[in-house]
Amino acid sequence: MFPIAFHPIYQHPLPEGHRFPMLKYELLPQQLLHEGTAIETDFFKPSKLCDEVDVLRVHTDQYLQDLKELTLNKRAARKLGFPLSEQLVERELRIAQGTIEGCLKAYDHRVAMNIAGGTHHAYTDHGEAFCLLNDQAIAARYLQHRGLAEKILIVDLDVHQGNGTAEIFQNDDSVFTFSMHGAGNYPFKKEHSDLDIAVPDGSEDQYYLNELKNTLPDLITQEQPDFIFYLCGVDVLESDKLGKLSMTLDGCKERDRFSLSAFAKARTTRNSIVPVQCSMGGGYSPEIKTIIEAHANTFRVARSVFN
């Protein structure tokens, strides 16, 4: 099995002309099935909404209640980037649950994917930039609370810094946050991850991949995590409307191949394999086919590496 979390609620209705490419959540599963990268039984629906107790290990009670009761002030609601609604909050809770259940499946299958997620701009007490609840942070705390993992590594290769994730774990040595992102891109006031690599605007494949290859294997060896989260946004592409890097589709695919291969080789201090959970993150190229191809590459590579 190649576990992939997906639910129809992932494709949320937005006002006409909205810049977020919500259609990708419908088209990506179709593409994976069409080409045979996945079969129907690989997909699983998150069984429920994420439990409040799991969310509250990461987010404040006031923030969660303001989301659920739709009582965020106008400024806070505007920062989300989506019109706030009950269905949107349900969507975010379902995505977080998909990441949690994917983590559990990764213990049996080595890797698990979420068609959505990677909501790394969600802070302890607020959300921003299309991120309401930080799915990988919630899942990391879930694993630790259940005694399933002690040391966790979060590898965030979205073009935008994982500012919310950095803030959530800023004083926690049990979760190592690594963000490799565009130097001149949002967020313009960066947080401090445990390791940040700011890639200069306009950087092409070779520069980016050299930085990654010179960093990631040593980081895994140094930290010896029990579990790895991978945020694999495809907004590093030259075509991306919200990114400022100049990577090709092949370069982005090589990023995934190198990263996932490094994760597959990782071993814990007890010489056990390290499970991996992948959330998709951003992708905002003008043509939807480019976004789908880049995201599909991540699934293709993951299936090949962990087969």
Side-chain angles (χ1 to χ4, degrees), residues 105-149:
K105 292 178 184 296
Y107 281 95
D108 292 325
H109 303 284
R110 302 185 67 198
V111 68
M113 319 292 284
N114 196 338
I115 288 286
T119 43
H120 59 163
H121 300 311
Y123 281 67
T124 303
D125 61 357
H126 71 274
E128 57 186 54
F130 313 137
C131 301
L132 278 70
L133 299 172
N134 197 309
D135 67 303
Q136 292 188 324
I138 291 169
R141 285 285 185 241
Y142 177 95
L143 294 178
Q144 290 180 324
H145 178 74
R146 296 294 180 102
L148 296 171

Side-chain angles (χ1 to χ4, degrees), residues 180-194:
M180 185 167 165
H181 50 264
N185 214 321
Y186 175 91
F188 301 108
K189 179 184 179 298
K190 306 288 195 291
E191 301 292 344
H192 295 287
S193 309
D194 292 305

Side-chain angles (χ1 to χ4, degrees), residues 201-241:
D201 292 357
S203 294
E204 298 178 350
D205 295 350
Q206 184 173 357
Y207 181 92
Y208 185 101
L209 293 170
N210 284 344
E211 288 289 309
L212 181 64
K213 291 177 180 181
N214 288 334
T215 302
L216 187 58
D218 289 342
L219 177 59
I220 294 171
T221 299
Q222 168 193 306
E223 294 302 315
Q224 291 190 298
D226 301 309
F227 198 98
I228 296 173
F229 289 91
Y230 182 34
L231 204 171
C232 31
V234 299
D235 40 14
V236 295
L237 294 178
E238 184 176 20
S239 58
D240 198 89
K241 294 183 293 186

Side-chain angles (χ1 to χ4, degrees), residues 2-14:
F2 180 46
I4 303 171
F6 173 71
H7 192 283
I9 202 173
Y10 285 9
Q11 190 191 359
H12 180 72
L14 291 174

Side-chain angles (χ1 to χ4, degrees), residues 32-174:
L32 298 175
L33 289 169
H34 172 74
E35 68 188 31
T37 296
I39 58 176
E40 290 284 357
T41 54
D42 289 328
F43 290 91
F44 68 92
K45 289 183 180 179
S47 61
K48 60 179 182 178
L49 302 184
C50 187
D51 287 339
E52 188 168 305
V53 66
D54 295 323
V55 176
L56 292 177
R57 294 193 189 98
V58 169
H59 297 287
T60 65
D61 180 74
Q62 184 63 59
Y63 175 52
L64 178 59
Q65 295 314 309
D66 282 342
L67 283 179
K68 294 175 71 173
E69 296 169 13
L70 309 182
T71 53
L72 282 181
N73 65 56
K74 289 184 179 179
R75 182 174 180 273
R78 191 162 51 246
K79 289 182 72 173
L80 299 178
F82 294 139
L84 185 59
S85 67
E86 289 184 9
Q87 185 180 352
L88 179 67
V89 176
E90 180 181 341
R91 172 185 187 266
E92 299 297 310
L93 290 166
R94 190 77 67 172
I95 289 171
Q97 184 64 23
T99 297
I100 288 175
E101 292 181 19
C103 290
L104 299 178
K105 292 178 184 296
Y107 281 95
D108 292 325
H109 303 284
R110 302 185 67 198
V111 68
M113 319 292 284
N114 196 338
I115 288 286
T119 43
H120 59 163
H121 300 311
Y123 281 67
T124 303
D125 61 357
H126 71 274
E128 57 186 54
F130 313 137
C131 301
L132 278 70
L133 299 172
N134 197 309
D135 67 303
Q136 292 188 324
I138 291 169
R141 285 285 185 241
Y142 177 95
L143 294 178
Q144 290 180 324
H145 178 74
R146 296 294 180 102
L148 296 171
E150 295 180 7
K151 185 59 180 284
I152 288 172
L153 173 63
I154 299 179
V155 176
D156 186 340
L157 301 187
D158 192 274
V159 81
H160 305 107
Q161 191 212 31
N163 53 346
T165 306
E167 181 266 341
I168 289 167
F169 297 115
Q170 61 186 335
N171 297 312
D172 187 348
D173 291 338
S174 71

